[in-house]
Amino acid sequence: MPNRTVIITIVNRAYADPGAEVGTGETLLDLFVRSLWLGEGTRGLLDHVVVVAMDRAAYRACRFRRLNCYRLETEGVDFRGEKVYMSEDFIRMMWRRTAFLGDVLRRGYDFIFTDTDVMWLRNPFTKLSKNESEDLQISTDVFNGDPRSEDNFINTGFYFVRSNNRTVALFDEWYSRRQNATGKKEQDVLLDLIHEGAFKRLDLGVRFLDTLFFSGFCEDSKDFGAVATVHANCCRSITAKVFDLTVVLRDWKRFKWSRKKTAAVNGTAASLRWTNHMGCWRAWRVQGNGNK
């Protein structure tokens, strides 16, 4: 964008290639792009999205869709297949992502990072603070009502960060912790840094985002008329995410149709509710049975 802001999402073959082993049909990348098409004030944002491909198949799938694509080389590592939540490969991929995003900050770009399993239903920039003292605005799994409270449980699947010395220092320290974080994903390590007082020590201005606007499967937004993004968090498998996010977009189209056909209550479609996220619920249940 003219103000050196970019939107970044990162995919591997399992997220982008309909021929990947996780199934056929629509991919998470397809759903992400479709949400931008169906969202309010979001279509033009696609011009500013950079899809970072972790492997050759994902890069080819991105290019086929005529998106802005960047191939991130990682020597000696195969990131093609589905990386099950909290598996060793999943954690390794999350750290590679953190290193890359730190490089983007060092080059002077502000960015929104968004997981591909985040549906953009409205332009999120309209819901983010425009106060330039806010260095980092980060989503939460469950919002405790206080945008300044470090007791909010963060989610690194969606955040806006400004490029400056403070945020570069944060990413450097964050990434440096990877060697002493066995069994922890990068989100857990950032949460540790918060609890150790890193935000205050680095003099960072941080806002924790309200799930009313930046929601997810952990805590649904209660207002179709306000929600900007929906994240398939608290969900284990790609197949389950695709299933439930397809339903999210169906619910969104139902809301838009009902708003046109009926008078909303106080400007919101208060009678509408999100469909239960059954695909993700079943995925956790299957995992639980498998551990018995």
Side-chain angles (χ1 to χ4, degrees):
M1 299 178 185
N3 62 357
R4 292 181 66 82
T5 299
V6 66
I7 301 164
I8 300 172
T9 193
I10 295 181
V11 299
N12 65 354
R13 183 188 176 208
Y15 279 69
D17 183 357
E21 65 272 25
V22 295
T24 59
E26 272 196 308
T27 66
L28 285 173
L29 181 59
D30 292 325
L31 290 170
F32 173 69
V33 172
R34 184 145 66 96
S35 77
L36 287 162
W37 182 257
L38 294 172
E40 296 180 351
T42 53
R43 290 186 186 181
L45 296 177
L46 191 57
D47 292 338
H48 306 293
V49 173
V50 175
V51 179
V52 178
M54 301 291 286
D55 57 72
R56 184 179 300 175
Y59 181 73
R60 292 176 65 182
C62 177
R63 293 288 295 169
F64 180 78
R65 292 166 175 80
R66 300 184 181 278
L67 303 171
N68 302 313
C69 312
Y70 178 80
R71 172 76 166 95
L72 182 61
E73 300 281 353
T74 307
E75 186 175 348
V77 181
D78 181 4
F79 283 128
R80 288 177 295 178
E82 177 175 7
K83 306 307 176 192
V84 176
Y85 181 72
M86 289 307 294
S87 67
E88 185 176 336
D89 282 347
F90 173 87
I91 292 171
R92 186 180 295 116
M93 190 164 70
M94 294 303 98
W95 281 117
R96 183 66 186 95
R97 179 177 90 178
T98 304
F100 171 77
L101 294 173
D103 288 340
V104 174
L105 281 181
R106 276 186 287 274
R107 294 172 188 271
Y109 292 96
D110 302 344
F111 63 81
I112 284 183
F113 173 77
T114 176
D115 278 343
T116 318
D117 62 350
V118 177
M119 301 295 97
W120 287 40
L121 306 181
R122 289 186 173 87
N123 184 343
F125 288 103
T126 65
K127 307 294 184 180
L128 293 169
S129 170
K130 295 177 175 57
N131 186 338
E132 294 191 1
S133 69
E134 306 277 11
D135 299 305
L136 174 66
Q137 300 180 63
I138 189 166
S139 64
T140 59
D141 282 340
V142 179
F143 182 63
N144 70 9
D146 182 357
R148 300 297 179 191
S149 171
E150 294 185 353
D151 291 329
N152 281 295
F153 195 84
I154 60 167
N155 190 299
T156 53
F158 182 95
Y159 57 89
F160 174 58
V161 59
R162 299 183 188 277
S163 174
N164 56 45
N165 292 337
R166 296 182 297 278
T167 56
V168 169
L170 173 67
F171 272 70
D172 286 345
E173 184 171 349
W174 185 10
Y175 186 68
S176 72
R177 293 286 191 100
R178 73 194 185 284
Q179 301 295 353
N180 298 316
T182 304
K184 289 185 176 182
K185 62 184 182 298
E186 92 310 343
Q187 179 175 295
D188 299 328
V189 174
L190 182 58
L191 197 59
D192 288 343
L193 285 170
I194 294 172
H195 293 157
E196 293 167 14
F199 285 179
K200 292 183 175 67
R201 174 166 47 79
L202 295 172
D203 196 28
L204 284 161
V206 179
R207 175 178 293 272
F208 301 92
L209 297 174
D210 191 338
T211 53
L212 179 70
F213 307 110
F214 300 92
S215 72
F217 292 175
C218 299
E219 185 172 59
D220 289 320
S221 172
K222 296 177 177 61
D223 190 348
F224 273 85
V227 65
T229 61
V230 177
H231 186 190
N233 51 12
C234 292
C235 190
R236 184 172 182 273
S237 76
I238 292 177
T239 301
K241 289 172 184 273
V242 168
F243 181 88
D244 284 341
L245 289 174
T246 301
V247 176
V248 165
L249 293 183
R250 185 187 69 193
D251 286 348
W252 175 247
K253 288 191 288 186
R254 183 164 55 95
F255 162 74
K256 292 174 71 176
W257 179 85
S258 69
R259 188 175 54 181
K260 290 179 180 178
K261 297 296 182 181
T262 62
V265 178
N266 294 327
T268 66
S271 61
L272 292 179
R273 299 182 63 182
W274 300 102
T275 302
N276 290 333
H277 313 301
M278 295 303 297
C280 293
W281 182 82
R282 292 191 191 105
W284 284 113
R285 189 180 182 189
V286 168
Q287 172 69 4
N289 289 339
N291 286 339
K292 289 182 179 178

